[in-house]
Amino acid sequence: MIISTGTASGKSLAYLTPAVATCLDGGTILYLTPTKALAADQLRSLRELRITQLRAACFDGDTPFEERTWVRQHANYVLTNPDMLHRSVLPRHAQWSSFFRRLRLVVVDECHGYRGVFGSHVAQILRRLRRVCARYGSRPTFLLASATASEPGAFAMRLTGLEMDEVTVDASPKGATTIALWEPPLTELRGEGGAPVRRTATAEAADLLADLVLADVRTLAFVRSRRGAETVALTARAKLADVAFSLSARFPGTPATPTPATADMPQTAPTPTNAPDAIRTADAPGDVSGATQTVGTSMHAPGAAQTTSTGAAAPDATQTTSTRAAALDATQTTSAKAAAADATRNTSAKAAAAQTSSTRAAAADATQTTSASADQPGTPQQDAARQDERATRHGGRATGQADEASGPVAESSLTWAIPDSPTHPDWADLPNKIAAYRAGYLAEDRRLLEKALRAGTLMGLASTNALELGVDVSGLDAVLIAGWPGTRASLWQQAGRAGRDGQDALAVLIARDDPLDTYLVHHPQALFGQPVEAIVLDPDNPYVLGPHLCAAAAEIPLTDDDLPIFGDTTSTVLDDLVAQGLLRRRPAGWFWTRRERATDLADIRGGGGAPIQVVESSTGRLLGSVDEPSAHTTVHTGAVYLHQGETFLVELLDLEAGVALVSSANPDFTTFARDITDISILATQRSHPLGTGTLHFGEVEVTRQVVSYLKRRLQSGEMLGDEPLELPPRTLRTRAVWWTLPASAVAPLAEAGIDLGGAAHAAEHASIGLLPLFATCDRWDIGGVSTELHADTGLLTVFVYDGHEGGAGFAERGYARATDWLTATREAITSCECERGCPSCIQSPKCGNGNNPLDKRGAVRLLNTLLNPQ
């Protein structure tokens, strides 16, 4: 059974009721979740039931070893994740024999999170689980739950290999969710190639987070990357520290300086950074290592009782106070916090009086909806570097201080929500109301942050998607989403974190400089009123199936009767495993005969390689971990590394030892890794004509190597140097979609003076940005290469490939919807208001070639040639 209804619709109750009844009848329950945070939250809810016969316990990487024996022997409700099921529970199934004999129900919560390569691995883990259960004579019922699964029955069947019934009717009461898409303004500053850039989504999110916390609105800000989450929290805390200083001057008798942060809160660094992601040549996929940017608009959220209108970016910075006040006035109405709302309206009215009539009209319209921010802009490289300047405008260091770009500021835009007399006995505690949360933190730090947010000690939390799935934070009033989260499913999932228990809520999608967000701003119909994306997973991927067949054989020798459980391609893959010497075929079946652990063959998170431990060299303190592929771009020797608000310099990256040694520092520069990419075609599986060209899908081999890193000054973005690195190349065998144009089709373009290489490069960037609209992926899950003359095709060729070994189904989805995908790509380029190309259309935040060459006009002509019928 799969239950697919909206957020906060009672899915937890739907599986808790039969689960608890099963425990009372002597059965056992296995609960699977993608994240540790959700398991800890569910365990808290179970313990609050105070049922003595219910012996619930978490069994994950945070469980102390001395407790694991008790869990195996005595727990009847075990909460774990696919990683522990794969590496610990199934390989040691004999130690769990009592539990498996009585297993009656397997709950797979937030199952929409199992997509792509990760979902394919989980599908095989569930098949291994079914096989182990059969070994002990049990046939448990599988109950799946998701708020955002498209075609839930078909997806659940593919995930589990079992026939599925589905429940999709949602009759639960819901509060109104006000949704705004917030487009930062274009700035006067210029980026690569002189292109205009928008103010970064992370800078906007930091301002809004500080505003909302000051207004006593409990807020969760979702940020795309670990580094970005740290930056948003750090910047917002710095702004609140400035407000605290200003208020202590206005209201003598309160402490004049902020108090030190508590042990579970990040420390405020003197100069926060908001650096963009590591630059990657030829748009290679990878983990987002820095803050990125994007764009937006607004309409209906699924299941919402009310809606809002589109908010557009205001033209100058003097509108910031009134537009923020209007947006937060909606928030206060939503959350029914009257005192803060009154203060909001009073100050908003004062600010509006100083504006022109047109500006007042825009602010009034925004009051009815949720408007956009028009703060003083900055470039992706310089925006966060100019922290002191922005904090002067927004943090209220000195009331009435002048701003060179926007003129005099009558009152700090962060203090508009403060009434005429202090309501807080200690303003200096304001910065401690905001913290960062992400994977890689130690377990005790994560639990402290979750507890503080629930208790209200924390009013604002900047998080990666580690808190996206199902964590019930009662009293959460607003959600900020810094950048398009990759899928409509993730958007509604993140927006659903606020407004639980039937209360009203606010959700703001803050756009980045990105082709997809630009497209959604100009085509909101592609976002609202549309079903969520189909969940893509491929359990038959031989790179996924092979390691799990080895693991299954190590658990219990495989027989012919087991083959249907794992899929139609099992026999072929088994023959390959025998030929490689990984399995041995005997009359009784297939056996694992090696000394090493078979489970080590499968990296289910798709990263490849053991994680790199980040250690402070002077103290030996373990700060966290970074997955091995991301380590090449985030913790290479010489990199600037952020952790819980502190800045470190990487002294040494030792890949063999799996350690990155760092030291505390306060550099005036930030770093960007650059790599080179080469691609070769291994096999073409499908092809068909597309306009005057040809579209292909097949297997490719991609070679990437990080070769250097750039150093740029924080204050000005000045290039300080390009430092060489010696890191090993990484080879990836994957699947790609590519299109070619014959010489006869491109010759007229060359004669017209179009730079063919720049046109292909621009089309590649834009198509990578738009593919997530048609496949359940993120632009960081895919990569691309473009060339005027490729060695394997002899033609102008543009590749887009899956960034996972063996492929993840994204390129295949692009092949299936190529016409729609490339048409949307062309529209995204043509609808952008820039002249020569910018990050909103053809520039990429991860281009290792420095976004050069790029030809916007040529890209449109090239796509017209490709899409127009012969």
Side-chain angles (χ1 to χ4, degrees), residues 721-738:
D722 188 348
E723 302 292 335
L725 290 171
E726 294 184 2
L727 289 170
R730 298 181 57 86
T731 300
L732 177 72
R733 292 173 65 96
T734 184
R735 297 181 183 181
V737 55
W738 65 95

Side-chain angles (χ1 to χ4, degrees), residues 453 515 551:
L453 185 61

Side-chain angles (χ1 to χ4, degrees), residues 240-250 256-258 396-397:
L240 292 187
D242 292 333
V243 172
F245 180 83
S246 177
L247 290 174
S248 64
R250 286 176 56 187
T257 57
R397 279 199 182 95

Side-chain angles (χ1 to χ4, degrees), residues 536 538 541-542 679-690 693-701 733-740 771 775 782 793 797-818 821:
V536 177
D538 182 14
N541 180 339
I679 190 168
S680 60
I681 299 172
L682 300 179
T684 302
Q685 297 177 345
R686 294 194 289 276
S687 298
H688 69 75
L690 182 64
T694 307
L695 187 74
H696 308 269
F697 172 75
E699 297 183 8
V700 297
E701 183 174 85
R733 292 173 65 96
T734 184
R735 297 181 183 181
V737 55
W738 65 95
W739 49 269
T740 59
L771 183 57
I782 52 181
T793 65
T797 310
V798 176
F799 294 87
V800 176
Y801 63 87
D802 292 345
H804 300 276
E805 194 74 35
F810 309 138
E812 188 171 14
R813 182 58 61 93
Y815 178 85
R817 301 198 61 186
W821 167 36

